[in-house]
Amino acid sequence: MRLLLLEDDPTLGEGLRDFLLQDGYRVDWCTTLAQARALVGEPYDAWLLDWNLPDGSALEWLRSLRAKGDTTPALVLTARDLLGDRIRGLDSGADDFLVKPFAPEELCARLRALARRVAGGAQRKVMGPVEVSLAGRQAWLHGREVDLTAREWAVLEALVLRAGRTVSAADLEALVLGLGGELSSNALQVHIFNLRSKLGKEAIQTVRGMGYRVPLAQAAQAAGPA
């Protein structure tokens, strides 16, 4: 998942960024609303928003984005723990709350829950002969686990989280690498080719002139492969 982290505390922000990076996320860290506003339009899987920033309220910014139709999942990080604050946050468009101080492991667990919610609520998703576990970062073909590289998984995850929708090559590259990342001219095509070799040619569809997509996923009917 590619995350936008909006946190003005340098110690907390750096610590969260480093922990999330080690856990396999792509993280763009901002310390002001102005920096975050400059990234509107960038593809993200979730926002992590500190409530109060030096230049305004992230909650008011979130409210304005929701009014414009942006549905990117948002998790608010705040020291406020009153019921009224939580209600205000949820009514402003937050999907979840995490009260400071918190363990980074809990943050990752909540992100996995957000990912499941976005993907339709199931732990495992089935796309024909392919089965994917977003939480476990695993994929199977005809019940046999497939070994994927970190970059291949990042590409597959970005598409599965948007199953049924076409993702442009530029957005897919941004989701996989985050800000400042750069793939060689044919690296993305190589990763797509490798995924098709491992999961089948129909696992990832090319929409000519537009990008790539995976079929709409369904929840696994059974516990799935061991």
Side-chain angles (χ1 to χ4, degrees), residues 21-82:
L21 287 172
Q22 290 176 3
D23 206 42
Y25 295 92
R26 277 78 67 201
V27 183
D28 299 332
W29 174 30
C30 298
T31 58
T32 66
L33 277 173
Q35 292 174 341
R37 288 191 182 104
L39 296 176
V40 170
E42 284 282 320
Y44 287 102
D45 295 302
W47 298 322
L48 307 179
L49 306 178
D50 186 15
W51 188 324
N52 292 314
L53 282 302
D55 53 346
S57 167
L59 214 58
E60 294 306 313
W61 179 57
L62 176 62
R63 186 191 297 273
S64 70
L65 290 172
R66 294 296 191 237
K68 295 174 183 176
D70 197 314
T71 59
T72 303
L75 197 162
V76 174
L77 313 175
T78 179
R80 304 187 184 197
D81 61 354
L82 297 178

Side-chain angles (χ1 to χ4, degrees), residues 6-212:
L6 182 53
E7 171 58 62
D8 68 312
D9 183 293
T11 301
L12 178 57
E14 183 177 10
L16 287 176
R17 180 198 61 190
D18 292 348
F19 186 90
L20 290 165
L21 287 172
Q22 290 176 3
D23 206 42
Y25 295 92
R26 277 78 67 201
V27 183
D28 299 332
W29 174 30
C30 298
T31 58
T32 66
L33 277 173
Q35 292 174 341
R37 288 191 182 104
L39 296 176
V40 170
E42 284 282 320
Y44 287 102
D45 295 302
W47 298 322
L48 307 179
L49 306 178
D50 186 15
W51 188 324
N52 292 314
L53 282 302
D55 53 346
S57 167
L59 214 58
E60 294 306 313
W61 179 57
L62 176 62
R63 186 191 297 273
S64 70
L65 290 172
R66 294 296 191 237
K68 295 174 183 176
D70 197 314
T71 59
T72 303
L75 197 162
V76 174
L77 313 175
T78 179
R80 304 187 184 197
D81 61 354
L82 297 178
L83 175 61
D85 293 327
R86 294 196 296 273
I87 292 173
R88 179 183 169 191
L90 294 170
D91 285 345
S92 296
D95 295 274
D96 199 359
F97 256 77
L98 197 53
V99 177
K100 302 175 182 178
F102 54 82
E105 292 83 358
E106 182 180 0
L107 173 59
C108 290
R110 289 177 182 266
L111 285 170
R112 290 192 293 271
L114 277 179
R116 290 196 299 272
R117 200 177 309 164
V118 170
Q123 290 275 1
R124 296 173 183 259
K125 311 300 289 185
V126 175
M127 297 164 290
V130 177
E131 186 173 345
V132 175
S133 168
L134 292 172
R137 295 174 182 165
Q138 295 168 282
W140 296 267
L141 177 64
H142 297 298
R144 293 187 177 183
E145 187 170 359
V146 177
D147 184 28
L148 301 179
T149 67
R151 190 59 55 79
E152 289 166 359
W153 170 256
V155 172
L156 180 62
E157 178 190 53
L159 291 170
V160 171
L161 285 170
R162 295 159 181 80
R165 290 184 282 160
T166 301
V167 184
S168 71
D171 281 352
L172 192 53
E173 180 176 333
L175 287 162
V176 171
L177 295 178
L179 290 179
E182 184 176 349
L183 288 173
S184 62
S185 59
N186 67 340
L188 181 60
Q189 289 83 355
V190 170
H191 294 314
I192 296 290
F193 175 84
N194 290 339
L195 283 167
R196 286 170 170 160
S197 297
K198 295 177 179 182
L199 299 174
K201 293 182 179 179
E202 300 303 317
I204 299 176
Q205 303 165 352
T206 297
V207 182
R208 190 173 299 278
M210 297 180 65
Y212 304 94

